[in-house]
Amino acid sequence: MATWAQKIKAHSAGKQAKPRKPKPAVQTTYAQTRPADSEIGDPGAVIFVHYTVDENTVTLTDEKGAAIGKANSYVMQPGEDAIRIAKRMALARFQSTDAPFNRRLKYPPQSLA
């Protein structure tokens, strides 16, 4: 016959807390939004892309690791590269905003006739 202490130990053994999964590290890269143009002296433009990779899921985040929006995750297929996926997602998000309207305009060279 089991004592009351053994019963308590047996009861609590099945309820051990599962170890928490650590948060994935925030990784940073950049994506080119406008190429450089030496004719007009434009150095071009880039945006910084912050993302995490958890198993095979790439998620766009801010610099602190908080997810951006609802639909900013992608499940990678075998052979895909997380950096390329993150850049594509960030560029798609950049192009869907009004950011391209706030860019420098490129005019053709002037000529006299």
Side-chain angles (χ1 to χ4, degrees):
M1 184 150 194
T3 66
W4 64 272
Q6 291 171 338
K7 288 181 184 178
I8 291 174
K9 286 182 184 177
H11 179 72
S12 66
K15 296 186 178 185
Q16 293 294 326
K18 294 179 182 177
R20 289 188 179 185
K21 189 176 180 181
K23 288 179 114 179
V26 177
Q27 300 177 22
T28 304
T29 186
Y30 61 90
Q32 181 180 17
T33 58
R34 188 179 69 239
D37 188 357
S38 61
E39 291 178 9
I40 62 172
D42 184 13
V46 297
I47 56 171
F48 285 100
V49 180
H50 304 285
Y51 66 98
T52 59
V53 180
D54 187 18
E55 294 179 9
N56 62 343
T57 304
V58 178
T59 305
L60 289 181
T61 65
D62 61 6
E63 58 273 354
K64 295 180 181 177
I68 299 174
K70 294 181 181 178
N72 285 324
S73 292
Y74 178 81
V75 178
M76 292 189 302
Q77 302 299 317
E80 289 184 323
D81 185 26
I83 295 175
R84 285 185 179 198
I85 297 297
K87 285 182 180 184
R88 276 191 224 144
M89 289 170 53
L91 286 173
R93 182 170 162 58
F94 177 80
Q95 291 170 351
S96 69
T97 63
D98 64 347
F101 292 104
N102 296 325
R103 69 185 186 285
R104 180 183 226 173
L105 296 177
K106 180 179 176 183
Y107 295 103
Q110 294 181 355
S111 61
L112 297 173

